[in-house]
Coordinates of all heavy atoms in Angstrom, one line a residue:
M1 N 82.5 97.3 68.0 CA 82.4 97.1 69.4 C 82.2 98.4 70.1 O 82.9 99.4 69.8 CB 83.6 96.4 69.9 CG 83.7 96.2 71.4 SD 85.2 95.3 71.8 CE 84.4 93.8 72.5
A2 N 81.3 98.4 71.0 CA 81.0 99.7 71.8 C 82.0 99.8 72.9 O 82.3 98.8 73.6 CB 79.6 99.6 72.3
H3 N 82.4 101.0 73.2 CA 83.3 101.3 74.3 C 82.5 101.6 75.6 O 81.5 102.3 75.5 CB 84.3 102.4 74.0 CG 85.2 102.1 72.9 ND1 86.3 101.3 73.0 CD2 85.2 102.5 71.6 CE1 86.9 101.2 71.9 NE2 86.3 101.9 71.0
I4 N 83.0 101.1 76.7 CA 82.3 101.3 78.0 C 83.1 102.4 78.7 O 84.3 102.3 78.8 CB 82.3 100.1 78.8 CG1 81.5 99.0 78.1 CG2 81.7 100.4 80.2 CD1 81.6 97.6 78.8
V5 N 82.4 103.5 79.0 CA 83.1 104.6 79.7 C 82.3 104.9 81.0 O 81.2 104.6 81.1 CB 83.1 105.9 78.9 CG1 84.0 105.7 77.6 CG2 81.7 106.3 78.5
T6 N 83.0 105.5 81.9 CA 82.4 105.8 83.2 C 81.6 107.1 83.0 O 82.0 108.0 82.3 CB 83.4 106.0 84.3 OG1 84.3 107.0 84.0 CG2 84.2 104.7 84.6
L7 N 80.5 107.2 83.7 CA 79.7 108.4 83.6 C 79.7 109.2 84.9 O 79.0 110.1 85.1 CB 78.2 108.0 83.3 CG 78.0 107.3 82.0 CD1 76.6 106.9 81.8 CD2 78.5 108.1 80.8
Q8 N 80.6 108.7 85.9 CA 80.6 109.4 87.1 C 81.8 110.4 87.1 O 82.7 110.3 86.4 CB 80.9 108.4 88.3 CG 79.8 107.4 88.4 CD 80.1 106.3 89.4 OE1 81.3 106.1 89.7 NE2 79.1 105.7 90.0
A9 N 81.7 111.4 88.0 CA 82.7 112.4 88.2 C 83.9 111.7 89.0 O 83.7 110.7 89.6 CB 82.2 113.6 88.9
A10 N 85.0 112.3 89.0 CA 86.1 111.8 89.7 C 85.8 111.8 91.2 O 85.1 112.7 91.7 CB 87.4 112.7 89.5
V11 N 86.3 110.8 91.9 CA 86.0 110.6 93.3 C 86.7 111.7 94.1 O 86.1 112.3 95.0 CB 86.5 109.2 93.8 CG1 86.3 109.1 95.3 CG2 85.7 108.1 93.0
T12 N 88.0 112.0 93.8 CA 88.7 113.0 94.5 C 88.8 114.3 93.7 O 89.2 114.2 92.5 CB 90.1 112.6 94.9 OG1 90.4 111.3 94.4 CG2 90.3 112.5 96.4
V13 N 88.5 115.4 94.2 CA 88.6 116.6 93.5 C 90.0 117.2 93.8 O 90.4 117.3 94.9 CB 87.5 117.6 94.0 CG1 87.6 118.9 93.2 CG2 86.2 117.0 93.8
P14 N 90.7 117.6 92.7 CA 92.1 118.1 93.0 C 91.9 119.5 93.7 O 91.0 120.2 93.5 CB 92.6 118.3 91.5 CG 91.5 118.3 90.6 CD 90.4 117.5 91.3
P15 N 93.0 119.9 94.4 CA 92.9 121.1 95.1 C 92.9 122.3 94.1 O 93.4 122.2 93.0 CB 94.2 121.2 95.9 CG 95.0 120.0 95.5 CD 94.2 119.1 94.7
P16 N 92.2 123.4 94.5 CA 92.0 124.5 93.5 C 93.3 125.1 93.0 O 93.4 125.5 91.9 CB 91.2 125.5 94.3 CG 91.3 125.1 95.7 CD 91.6 123.7 95.8
G17 N 94.4 125.2 93.9 CA 95.6 125.8 93.5 C 96.5 124.9 92.7 O 97.5 125.3 92.2
G18 N 96.2 123.6 92.6 CA 97.0 122.6 91.9 C 98.1 122.1 92.7 O 98.9 121.3 92.2
G19 N 98.3 122.5 94.0 CA 99.3 121.9 94.8 C 98.9 121.6 96.2 O 97.7 121.8 96.5
P20 N 99.8 121.2 97.1 CA 99.4 120.9 98.4 C 99.0 122.2 99.2 O 99.5 123.2 99.0 CB 100.6 120.3 99.0 CG 101.8 120.7 98.2 CD 101.2 121.0 96.8
S21 N 98.1 122.0 100.2 CA 97.7 123.1 101.0 C 98.8 123.4 102.1 O 99.7 122.6 102.2 CB 96.4 122.7 101.7 OG 96.5 121.7 102.6
A22 N 98.6 124.4 102.8 CA 99.5 124.8 103.9 C 99.5 123.7 104.9 O 100.5 123.4 105.5 CB 99.1 126.1 104.5
A23 N 98.3 123.1 105.2 CA 98.2 122.0 106.2 C 99.0 120.8 105.7 O 99.7 120.2 106.5 CB 96.8 121.7 106.5
D24 N 98.9 120.5 104.4 CA 99.7 119.4 103.9 C 101.2 119.6 104.0 O 101.9 118.7 104.4 CB 99.3 119.1 102.4 CG 97.9 118.7 102.2 OD1 97.3 118.1 103.2 OD2 97.3 118.9 101.1
L25 N 101.6 120.8 103.7 CA 103.0 121.1 103.8 C 103.5 121.1 105.2 O 104.6 120.6 105.5 CB 103.3 122.5 103.1 CG 103.1 122.5 101.6 CD1 103.3 124.0 101.1 CD2 104.1 121.6 100.9
A26 N 102.7 121.5 106.1 CA 103.1 121.5 107.6 C 103.2 120.1 108.1 O 104.1 119.7 108.8 CB 102.1 122.3 108.4
A27 N 102.3 119.2 107.6 CA 102.4 117.8 108.0 C 103.6 117.1 107.4 O 104.3 116.3 108.1 CB 101.1 117.1 107.5
I28 N 103.9 117.4 106.2 CA 105.2 116.9 105.6 C 106.4 117.4 106.4 O 107.3 116.6 106.6 CB 105.2 117.2 104.1 CG1 104.1 116.5 103.3 CG2 106.6 116.9 103.5 CD1 104.0 117.0 101.9
E29 N 106.4 118.6 106.7 CA 107.5 119.2 107.4 C 107.7 118.6 108.8 O 108.8 118.3 109.2 CB 107.4 120.7 107.6 CG 108.5 121.4 108.2 CD 109.8 121.4 107.3 OE1 109.7 121.3 106.1 OE2 110.9 121.3 107.9
R30 N 106.6 118.3 109.4 CA 106.6 117.7 110.8 C 107.1 116.2 110.7 O 107.8 115.8 111.6 CB 105.1 117.7 111.3 CG 105.0 117.4 112.8 CD 103.6 117.7 113.3 NE 102.5 117.2 112.5 CZ 101.7 118.0 111.8 NH1 101.8 119.3 111.8 NH2 100.7 117.5 111.1
E31 N 106.8 115.5 109.6 CA 107.3 114.1 109.4 C 108.6 114.0 108.7 O 109.1 112.9 108.5 CB 106.2 113.4 108.7 CG 104.9 113.2 109.4 CD 103.8 112.5 108.6 OE1 104.1 112.0 107.5 OE2 102.7 112.5 109.1
M32 N 109.2 115.1 108.3 CA 110.5 115.0 107.5 C 111.6 114.3 108.2 O 112.3 113.5 107.6 CB 110.9 116.4 107.1 CG 112.0 116.4 106.1 SD 111.7 115.3 104.7 CE 110.7 116.4 103.7
P33 N 111.8 114.4 109.6 CA 112.9 113.6 110.2 C 112.7 112.1 110.0 O 113.6 111.4 109.8 CB 112.9 114.1 111.6 CG 112.3 115.4 111.6 CD 111.3 115.4 110.5
L34 N 111.4 111.7 110.2 CA 111.1 110.3 110.0 C 111.3 109.8 108.5 O 111.9 108.8 108.3 CB 109.7 110.0 110.4 CG 109.2 108.5 110.2 CD1 110.1 107.5 110.9 CD2 107.8 108.4 110.6
I35 N 110.9 110.7 107.6 CA 111.0 110.3 106.2 C 112.5 110.2 105.8 O 112.9 109.3 105.2 CB 110.3 111.4 105.3 CG1 108.8 111.4 105.5 CG2 110.7 111.3 103.8 CD1 108.1 112.6 105.0
S36 N 113.3 111.1 106.3 CA 114.8 111.1 106.0 C 115.4 109.9 106.6 O 116.3 109.2 106.0 CB 115.4 112.4 106.6 OG 114.9 113.5 106.0
A37 N 115.0 109.5 107.9 CA 115.6 108.3 108.5 C 115.2 107.0 107.7 O 116.0 106.1 107.6 CB 115.1 108.2 109.9
E38 N 114.0 107.0 107.2 CA 113.5 105.8 106.5 C 114.2 105.7 105.1 O 114.6 104.6 104.7 CB 112.0 105.8 106.3 CG 111.2 105.6 107.6 CD 109.7 105.7 107.4 OE1 109.3 106.4 106.5 OE2 109.0 105.1 108.3
V39 N 114.5 106.8 104.5 CA 115.2 106.8 103.2 C 116.7 106.4 103.5 O 117.2 105.6 102.7 CB 115.2 108.3 102.6 CG1 116.2 108.4 101.5 CG2 113.8 108.6 102.1
E40 N 117.3 106.8 104.6 CA 118.6 106.4 104.9 C 118.7 104.9 105.1 O 119.6 104.2 104.6 CB 119.1 107.1 106.1 CG 120.6 106.8 106.4 CD 121.1 107.6 107.6 OE1 120.5 108.7 107.9 OE2 122.0 107.2 108.2
L41 N 117.7 104.3 105.8 CA 117.7 102.9 106.1 C 117.5 102.1 104.7 O 118.1 101.1 104.5 CB 116.5 102.5 107.0 CG 116.3 101.0 107.3 CD1 117.5 100.3 107.8 CD2 115.0 100.8 108.2
L42 N 116.6 102.6 103.9 CA 116.4 102.0 102.6 C 117.7 102.1 101.7 O 118.0 101.1 101.1 CB 115.3 102.7 101.9 CG 114.8 102.1 100.5 CD1 114.3 100.7 100.8 CD2 113.8 103.0 99.9
D43 N 118.4 103.1 101.8 CA 119.7 103.2 101.1 C 120.7 102.2 101.5 O 121.4 101.5 100.7 CB 120.3 104.6 101.2 CG 119.6 105.7 100.5 OD1 118.9 105.3 99.5 OD2 119.9 106.9 100.8
V44 N 120.8 102.0 102.9 CA 121.7 100.9 103.4 C 121.2 99.5 102.9 O 122.0 98.7 102.5 CB 121.7 101.0 104.9 CG1 122.5 99.8 105.5 CG2 122.3 102.3 105.4
Q45 N 119.9 99.3 103.0 CA 119.4 98.0 102.6 C 119.6 97.7 101.1 O 120.0 96.6 100.7 CB 117.9 97.9 102.9 CG 117.7 97.8 104.4 CD 116.2 97.9 104.8 OE1 115.4 98.5 104.0 NE2 115.9 97.4 105.9
I46 N 119.5 98.7 100.3 CA 119.7 98.6 98.8 C 121.2 98.3 98.6 O 121.5 97.5 97.7 CB 119.2 99.8 98.1 CG1 117.7 99.9 98.1 CG2 119.7 99.8 96.7 CD1 117.1 101.2 97.6
A47 N 122.1 99.0 99.3 CA 123.5 98.8 99.1 C 123.9 97.3 99.4 O 124.9 96.8 98.9 CB 124.3 99.8 99.9
L48 N 123.2 96.7 100.3 CA 123.5 95.3 100.7 C 122.8 94.2 100.0 O 122.9 93.1 100.4 CB 123.4 95.2 102.2 CG 124.2 96.2 103.0 CD1 123.9 96.1 104.5 CD2 125.7 95.9 102.8
L49 N 122.0 94.5 99.0 CA 121.2 93.5 98.3 C 122.1 92.4 97.6 O 121.7 91.3 97.6 CB 120.3 94.2 97.3 CG 119.0 94.8 97.8 CD1 118.3 95.5 96.6 CD2 118.2 93.8 98.5
D50 N 123.2 92.8 97.1 CA 123.9 91.8 96.3 C 125.2 91.3 96.9 O 126.1 90.7 96.3 CB 124.3 92.5 94.9 CG 125.2 93.7 95.1 OD1 125.3 94.2 96.2 OD2 125.8 94.2 94.1
R51 N 125.3 91.5 98.3 CA 126.5 91.0 99.0 C 126.1 90.6 100.4 O 125.1 91.1 100.9 CB 127.6 91.9 98.9 CG 127.4 93.2 99.7 CD 128.7 94.0 99.8 NE 128.6 95.0 100.8 CZ 128.5 96.3 100.6 NH1 128.6 96.8 99.4 NH2 128.4 97.2 101.6
A52 N 126.9 89.8 101.0 CA 126.7 89.4 102.4 C 127.2 90.6 103.3 O 128.2 91.1 103.0 CB 127.4 88.2 102.7
P53 N 126.4 91.0 104.3 CA 126.8 92.1 105.1 C 128.0 91.8 106.0 O 128.1 90.7 106.6 CB 125.6 92.4 105.9 CG 124.7 91.2 105.8 CD 125.1 90.5 104.6
S54 N 128.9 92.7 106.0 CA 130.1 92.6 106.9 C 129.7 93.1 108.3 O 128.6 93.6 108.5 CB 131.3 93.4 106.4 OG 131.0 94.7 106.4
E55 N 130.6 93.1 109.2 CA 130.4 93.6 110.6 C 130.1 95.1 110.5 O 129.2 95.6 111.2 CB 131.6 93.3 111.5 CG 131.3 93.7 112.9 CD 132.5 93.4 113.8 OE1 133.2 92.4 113.5 OE2 132.7 94.1 114.8
L56 N 130.8 95.8 109.7 CA 130.6 97.2 109.5 C 129.2 97.5 108.9 O 128.4 98.4 109.3 CB 131.6 97.8 108.6 CG 131.5 99.3 108.3 CD1 131.6 100.1 109.6 CD2 132.6 99.8 107.3
D57 N 128.8 96.7 107.9 CA 127.4 96.8 107.3 C 126.3 96.5 108.3 O 125.3 97.2 108.3 CB 127.3 95.9 106.1 CG 128.2 96.2 105.0 OD1 128.5 97.4 104.8 OD2 128.6 95.3 104.3
E58 N 126.5 95.5 109.2 CA 125.5 95.2 110.2 C 125.4 96.4 111.2 O 124.3 96.7 111.6 CB 125.9 94.0 111.0 CG 125.8 92.7 110.1 CD 126.3 91.5 110.8 OE1 126.7 91.6 112.0 OE2 126.3 90.4 110.2
R59 N 126.5 97.1 111.5 CA 126.4 98.3 112.4 C 125.7 99.4 111.7 O 124.9 100.1 112.3 CB 127.8 98.8 112.7 CG 128.4 98.0 113.9 CD 129.6 98.6 114.4 NE 130.7 97.9 113.9 CZ 132.0 98.3 113.8 NH1 132.3 99.5 114.2 NH2 132.9 97.5 113.3
R60 N 125.9 99.6 110.3 CA 125.2 100.6 109.6 C 123.7 100.4 109.6 O 122.9 101.3 109.8 CB 125.7 100.7 108.1 CG 127.1 101.3 108.0 CD 127.5 101.2 106.6 NE 126.7 102.0 105.7 CZ 126.5 101.8 104.4 NH1 127.2 100.8 103.8 NH2 125.7 102.6 103.7
I61 N 123.3 99.1 109.4 CA 121.9 98.8 109.4 C 121.3 99.0 110.8 O 120.2 99.6 110.9 CB 121.7 97.3 109.0 CG1 122.0 97.1 107.5 CG2 120.3 96.8 109.3 CD1 122.0 95.6 107.1
R62 N 122.0 98.6 111.8 CA 121.5 98.8 113.2 C 121.3 100.2 113.5 O 120.3 100.7 114.1 CB 122.4 98.1 114.2 CG 121.9 98.1 115.6 CD 122.8 97.2 116.5 NE 124.2 97.6 116.5 CZ 125.1 96.8 116.0 NH1 124.8 95.6 115.5 NH2 126.4 97.2 116.1
R63 N 122.3 101.0 113.1 CA 122.2 102.5 113.4 C 121.1 103.1 112.6 O 120.4 104.0 113.2 CB 123.6 103.2 113.1 CG 124.6 102.9 114.1 CD 125.9 103.5 113.7 NE 127.0 103.2 114.6 CZ 128.2 103.0 114.3 NH1 128.6 103.3 113.1 NH2 129.1 102.7 115.2
A64 N 120.9 102.7 111.4 CA 119.8 103.3 110.6 C 118.5 102.9 111.2 O 117.6 103.7 111.2 CB 120.0 102.8 109.1
R65 N 118.3 101.7 111.6 CA 117.1 101.2 112.3 C 116.8 102.0 113.5 O 115.7 102.4 113.8 CB 117.1 99.7 112.5 CG 116.9 98.9 111.3 CD 116.9 97.4 111.7 NE 116.8 96.6 110.4 CZ 117.3 95.4 110.3 NH1 117.9 94.8 111.3 NH2 117.1 94.8 109.2
N66 N 117.9 102.2 114.3 CA 117.7 103.0 115.6 C 117.3 104.4 115.3 O 116.5 105.0 116.0 CB 119.0 103.0 116.4 CG 119.3 101.6 117.0 OD1 118.4 100.8 117.2 ND2 120.5 101.4 117.4
R67 N 117.8 105.0 114.2 CA 117.4 106.4 113.8 C 115.9 106.4 113.4 O 115.2 107.4 113.8 CB 118.3 106.9 112.7 CG 119.6 107.5 113.2 CD 120.4 108.2 112.1 NE 121.0 107.3 111.2 CZ 122.2 106.8 111.3 NH1 122.9 107.1 112.4 NH2 122.7 106.0 110.4
V68 N 115.5 105.4 112.7 CA 114.1 105.3 112.3 C 113.2 105.2 113.6 O 112.2 105.9 113.7 CB 113.8 104.2 111.4 CG1 112.3 103.9 111.2 CG2 114.5 104.4 110.0
M69 N 113.6 104.4 114.5 CA 112.8 104.2 115.7 C 112.8 105.5 116.6 O 111.8 105.8 117.1 CB 113.3 103.0 116.5 CG 113.0 101.7 115.9 SD 113.3 100.2 116.9 CE 115.1 100.4 117.2
A70 N 113.9 106.1 116.6 CA 114.0 107.4 117.4 C 113.1 108.5 116.8 O 112.4 109.2 117.5 CB 115.4 107.9 117.5
A71 N 113.1 108.5 115.4 CA 112.3 109.5 114.7 C 110.8 109.2 114.9 O 110.0 110.2 115.1 CB 112.7 109.6 113.3
R72 N 110.5 108.0 114.9 CA 109.1 107.6 115.1 C 108.6 107.9 116.5 O 107.5 108.4 116.8 CB 108.9 106.1 114.9 CG 108.8 105.7 113.4 CD 108.6 104.3 113.3 NE 108.6 103.9 111.8 CZ 108.7 102.7 111.4 NH1 108.8 101.7 112.2 NH2 108.8 102.5 110.1
R73 N 109.5 107.7 117.5 CA 109.2 108.0 118.9 C 109.0 109.5 119.1 O 108.1 109.9 119.7 CB 110.4 107.5 119.8 CG 110.2 107.8 121.3 CD 111.5 107.8 122.0 NE 112.4 108.8 121.5 CZ 113.7 108.6 121.4 NH1 114.3 107.5 121.7 NH2 114.5 109.6 120.9
D74 N 110.0 110.3 118.5 CA 109.9 111.7 118.6 C 108.6 112.3 118.0 O 107.9 113.2 118.5 CB 111.1 112.4 118.0 CG 112.4 112.1 118.8 OD1 112.3 111.7 119.9 OD2 113.5 112.3 118.2
L75 N 108.2 111.7 116.8 CA 107.0 112.2 116.1 C 105.8 111.8 116.9 O 104.8 112.6 117.1 CB 106.9 111.5 114.7 CG 105.8 112.0 113.9 CD1 105.9 113.5 113.6 CD2 105.8 111.2 112.6
T76 N 105.8 110.6 117.5 CA 104.6 110.2 118.3 C 104.5 111.0 119.6 O 103.4 111.3 120.0 CB 104.8 108.7 118.7 OG1 104.9 108.0 117.5 CG2 103.6 108.2 119.5
N77 N 105.6 111.4 120.2 CA 105.6 112.1 121.5 C 105.4 113.6 121.4 O 105.4 114.3 122.4 CB 106.8 111.8 122.3 CG 106.9 110.3 122.8 OD1 105.8 109.7 122.9 ND2 108.0 109.8 123.0
R78 N 105.3 114.1 120.2 CA 105.2 115.6 120.0 C 103.8 116.0 120.6 O 102.8 115.3 120.5 CB 105.1 115.9 118.5 CG 106.5 116.0 118.0 CD 106.5 116.9 116.8 NE 107.9 117.1 116.4 CZ 108.3 117.5 115.2 NH1 107.4 117.8 114.3 NH2 109.5 117.6 114.9
T79 N 103.9 117.1 121.3 CA 102.7 117.6 122.0 C 102.0 118.8 121.2 O 101.0 119.3 121.7 CB 103.1 118.1 123.4 OG1 104.1 119.1 123.3 CG2 103.6 117.0 124.2
E80 N 102.5 119.2 120.1 CA 101.9 120.3 119.3 C 100.6 119.8 118.8 O 100.4 118.6 118.4 CB 102.8 120.8 118.2 CG 103.1 119.7 117.2 CD 104.2 120.2 116.2 OE1 105.2 120.8 116.7 OE2 104.0 120.0 115.0
P81 N 99.6 120.6 118.7 CA 98.3 120.2 118.2 C 98.3 119.9 116.7 O 99.0 120.5 116.0 CB 97.4 121.5 118.5 CG 98.3 122.6 118.6 CD 99.6 122.0 119.1
L82 N 97.4 119.0 116.3 CA 97.3 118.7 114.9 C 96.4 119.7 114.3 O 95.5 120.2 114.9 CB 96.7 117.3 114.8 CG 97.5 116.1 115.4 CD1 96.7 114.8 115.2 CD2 98.9 116.0 114.6
L83 N 96.7 120.0 113.0 CA 95.9 121.0 112.3 C 94.6 120.3 111.8 O 94.6 119.2 111.4 CB 96.7 121.5 111.1 CG 97.9 122.3 111.4 CD1 98.7 122.6 110.2 CD2 97.6 123.5 112.2
G84 N 93.5 121.1 111.9 CA 92.3 120.7 111.3 C 91.4 119.6 112.0 O 90.6 119.0 111.4
G85 N 91.7 119.4 113.3 CA 90.8 118.4 114.0 C 91.2 118.3 115.4 O 92.1 119.0 115.9
A86 N 90.4 117.5 116.1 CA 90.6 117.3 117.5 C 91.8 116.4 117.7 O 92.0 115.4 117.0 CB 89.4 116.7 118.2
A87 N 92.6 116.6 118.7 CA 93.7 115.8 119.0 C 93.4 114.6 119.9 O 92.6 114.6 120.7 CB 94.9 116.6 119.6

């Protein structure tokens, strides 16, 4: 049986240094408060998968959701220019 292989080059070319560019790192740093808030919310949700939430658990979920919304708001309302393009 003949094997079918692709004859095209890869669609995305890896960066020459093998890692993220300075612009990529700056974007990650800018979004880090949101990423951290989303991870915290996910941790709370995972902890409550196998049990019914108590009143304290419901407060933890509500606070974690509020932190995510606040981080999204802050990220959206930033006035610093974006790298590499028109804002």
Side-chain angles (χ1 to χ4, degrees):
M1 172 176 246
H3 294 285
I4 300 173
V5 295
T6 60
L7 299 177
Q8 298 174 334
V11 175
T12 5
V13 179
S21 68
D24 293 336
L25 292 175
I28 292 169
E29 186 66 30
R30 194 170 43 252
E31 295 177 8
M32 191 50 83
L34 175 59
I35 294 168
S36 298
E38 288 176 337
V39 168
E40 185 177 337
L41 175 60
L42 187 60
D43 287 344
V44 172
Q45 291 172 335
I46 289 171
L48 299 176
L49 281 176
D50 61 345
R51 68 173 195 246
S54 67
E55 185 177 329
L56 179 62
D57 294 330
E58 289 173 4
R59 277 190 260 163
R60 287 178 62 205
I61 290 173
R62 187 173 53 248
R63 287 180 184 147
R65 285 182 181 151
N66 287 341
R67 280 190 282 276
V68 169
M69 288 189 301
R72 284 183 183 163
R73 179 199 61 218
D74 293 343
L75 184 62
T76 302
N77 290 335
R78 282 206 172 160
T79 58
E80 62 189 44
L82 298 175
L83 297 175

